[in-house]
Structures are given as C-alpha cells and as structure tokens.
C-alpha cells in the first residue's frame, strides 16, 4: 500500500495516460526520480484528433504541500513500478 501524503495524489499516480491531470514519475540513470504533473486533453489510447499534453516537474504535493522526495522515499518500490509502467508518457 502506498503511504502517499493524501488520497488525491494517489489518484493522480493511478491516472497516468488518462484525460485530465496525473502524476508521472521519471527515473534517471543515477536512480533519482522526478515527479511530473501532466495534463492531457484525451486518453493515450485515443488515436483521433490532436493530442495536447502539458508537463511540469513538481517538488511538492499540489494538494497538501508535502515534499515529494519524502513521499517517494517512503514508497520506492511503487514509485519504481509507476516509473517503469509510464516511462513512455514523460515528454
């Protein structure tokens, strides 16, 4: 189970690639992570029309203000899972 700081952030991690906002972690070669806030105008599976994606690196939870490095360190296995699963979503 994830020990996220709040349920909204947990929902965003599970919403990666879906229409609306999501949180997507990226793993770097030095085993560090960055969390990106993404917004999409359509699900990744939809192959019609124009896909618009916005992406911004974030360091703090946009809902409660918790530092994301602390949240990730408490959930390293699950963050790794999301980073691998969603690696093609990061721009």
């Amino acid at each position: 189970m994830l020990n996220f700081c709040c349920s909204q952030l947990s929902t965003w991690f599970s919403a990666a690639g879906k229409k609306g906002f999501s949180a997507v972690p990226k793993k770097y070669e030095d085993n560090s992570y960055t969390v990106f806030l993404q917004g999409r105008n359509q699900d990744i599976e939809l192959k019609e029309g124009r896909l618009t994606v916005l992406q911004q690196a974030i360091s703090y939870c946009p809902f409660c203000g918790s530092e994301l490095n602390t949240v990730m360190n408490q959930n390293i296995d699950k963050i790794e899972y999301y980073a691998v699963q969603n690696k093609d979503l990061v721009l």
Side-chain angles (χ1 to χ4, degrees):
M1 182 69 177
L2 291 168
N3 296 317
F4 282 122
C5 49
C6 56
S7 63
Q8 295 95 331
L9 185 62
S10 179
T11 300
W12 273 14
F13 271 98
S14 61
K18 302 293 182 198
K19 180 179 180 178
F21 290 103
S22 63
V24 182
K26 178 178 180 173
K27 183 177 182 179
Y28 295 96
E29 290 179 10
D30 65 355
N31 291 324
S32 66
Y33 293 88
T34 297
V35 175
F36 291 96
L37 165 64
Q38 278 194 350
R40 296 174 172 275
N41 70 331
Q42 64 186 21
D43 291 351
I44 193 76
E45 296 87 19
L46 192 58
K47 302 293 184 193
E48 57 191 50
R50 182 173 292 197
L51 172 65
T52 302
V53 179
L54 63 89
Q55 177 174 294
Q56 174 66 47
I58 57 175
S59 299
Y60 297 91
C61 176
F63 301 103
C64 70
S66 294
E67 186 175 6
L68 292 179
N69 278 336
T70 302
V71 173
M72 288 188 293
N73 288 336
Q74 294 171 349
N75 299 284
I76 200 69
D77 290 340
K78 199 63 170 170
I79 293 298
E80 171 74 17
Y81 167 78
Y82 282 125
V84 170
Q85 179 182 352
N86 299 315
K87 67 181 177 186
D88 296 332
L89 297 178
V90 177
L91 303 178

